[in-house]
Amino acid sequence: MSLFKTPLIGLKADSFRHPLDLQATTSLKQIPGLDMMVRNWLGPMAEQVFYVENIAASVLVGEKQLPNLYKLLLEACKILDIEPPQLYIRQHPAPNAYTFAMRGKQPFIVMHTSLVDMLTPEEIQAVIAHELGHLKCDHSVYLTPVNILVLAAAIVPNVGTFLAQAIQSQLLEWVRCAEFTCDRAALLATQDPKVVMSVLMKLAGGSPILAPQLNLDAFVDQARAYDDISKTELGEMVKEARTSQLSHPVPVLRAREIDRWSSSTEYQSLLQGDLLKSKNETASQGRWRNW
């Protein structure tokens, strides 16, 4: 492990969970039968399809296979205090990474080669840590239904579309809020906000050729300017319309959130161990629960 990074022994999900994530999850829990639908109907089918698509057609990272990436995974897991999942690299032209986990099954992370190609090792670790954040916060309970509904819409169009429309708005709202939490996990693992914001910048407008030419300071200024749009009613309406059907917040908004949180006392307390100590002491007294 790199000497300058602080391992966060005893880290709990609630220690870094974004308040919007907590609020959106509370709302999502009120949807009747969502978890039952996934476990008893869509789950078994989706599990097999995802296995074939993402396991059989990818490369499993390990000590003897892409060991440098495996080292990044293990280091991030140690810092975030989480058991290592499987990590797969998949040939794909669209830069992306995702996590899949079903109850009682081995969770795994998949990274596309096109994303790896334009990131530095530190940025790759930020992506891995972001995905670990989903597992640390038990997002798979609802993240899996999102993936399954998208899959169902493709396999059984009429049924999938009906189900997706019924809860699409709340699911997408939750996913966007959960992403803010996982960006915080990426920051806790890399312990450098510039690394996390650089990943977001490259996701917005990067490529293997352009990535080295991008200016992070200019992108941060762009993120801060995004707030100015909300100063008018029309601007706020445009922003809402732009994001309502997205599965992720726009990159500049995510960068702005990381820029703010990296300067917060909450983040600094986590790195110094003060917040972890106080919450672990509460847990030992039976008053703290990992939400």
Side-chain angles (χ1 to χ4, degrees), residues 36-51:
M36 186 70 68
M37 173 189 69
V38 174
R39 183 170 61 251
N40 293 339
W41 182 28
L42 294 176
M45 174 189 69
E47 181 182 343
Q48 292 302 314
V49 174
F50 271 100
Y51 181 85

Side-chain angles (χ1 to χ4, degrees), residues 118 201-202 205-215:
M118 66 179 180
M201 175 180 65
K202 291 177 180 180
S207 71
I209 295 176
L210 293 178
Q213 306 174 42
L214 294 174
N215 186 305

Side-chain angles (χ1 to χ4, degrees), residues 51-256:
Y51 181 85
V52 172
E53 289 297 315
N54 297 324
I55 302 299
S58 306
V59 172
L60 175 61
V61 174
E63 293 181 355
K64 298 180 180 180
Q65 185 71 273
L66 302 173
N68 290 339
L69 295 182
Y70 188 61
K71 182 179 178 181
L72 294 176
L73 169 67
L74 295 183
E75 182 181 70
C77 288
K78 186 171 184 179
I79 294 172
L80 296 176
D81 198 16
I82 183 174
E83 288 296 317
Q86 292 180 333
L87 172 63
Y88 290 84
I89 302 298
R90 183 177 185 183
Q91 178 69 40
H92 201 287
N96 194 20
Y98 52 90
T99 301
F100 187 80
M102 295 291 289
R103 285 184 176 86
K105 304 296 183 180
Q106 170 70 49
F108 63 87
I109 296 170
V110 177
M111 285 189 67
H112 289 175
T113 51
S114 53
L115 180 59
V116 174
D117 286 345
M118 66 179 180
L119 300 181
T120 66
E122 293 79 9
E123 292 165 351
I124 292 173
Q125 187 173 63
V127 173
I128 292 172
H130 174 100
E131 298 304 323
L132 290 174
H134 284 305
L135 298 175
K136 183 77 177 182
C137 295
D138 202 22
H139 283 160
S140 59
V141 173
Y142 296 113
L143 190 63
T144 296
V146 172
N147 291 329
I148 290 174
L149 287 173
V150 172
L151 181 64
I155 297 177
V156 190
N158 293 334
V159 174
T161 300
F162 174 77
L163 291 171
Q165 289 177 346
I167 56 177
Q168 180 184 48
S169 178
Q170 282 182 278
L171 277 172
L172 289 177
E173 174 68 18
W174 171 81
V175 172
R176 291 193 296 271
C177 295
E179 293 300 310
F180 288 133
T181 293
C182 294
D183 286 343
R184 290 182 172 189
L187 177 57
L188 289 172
T190 61
Q191 299 177 13
D192 186 346
K194 290 185 177 180
V195 171
V196 181
M197 290 189 288
S198 180
V199 172
L200 296 169
M201 175 180 65
K202 291 177 180 180
L203 286 173
S207 71
I209 295 176
L210 293 178
Q213 306 174 42
L214 294 174
N215 186 305
L216 181 58
D217 291 335
F219 183 72
V220 173
D221 290 340
Q222 178 183 337
R224 292 168 180 165
Y226 183 76
D227 285 338
D228 294 337
I229 302 175
S230 300
K231 292 181 179 179
T232 66
E233 184 176 347
L234 178 59
E236 184 63 26
M237 289 175 59
V238 171
K239 284 173 61 176
E240 287 292 330
R242 170 70 178 83
T243 60
S244 63
Q245 297 303 309
L246 297 178
S247 62
H248 289 62
V250 292
V252 289
L253 181 57
R254 294 170 64 183
R256 186 205 67 183

Side-chain angles (χ1 to χ4, degrees), residues 20-36:
L20 290 178
D21 181 6
L22 178 60
Q23 178 181 342
T25 305
T26 300
S27 298
L28 201 62
K29 283 184 174 181
Q30 297 175 3
I31 299 178
L34 174 60
D35 191 53
M36 186 70 68

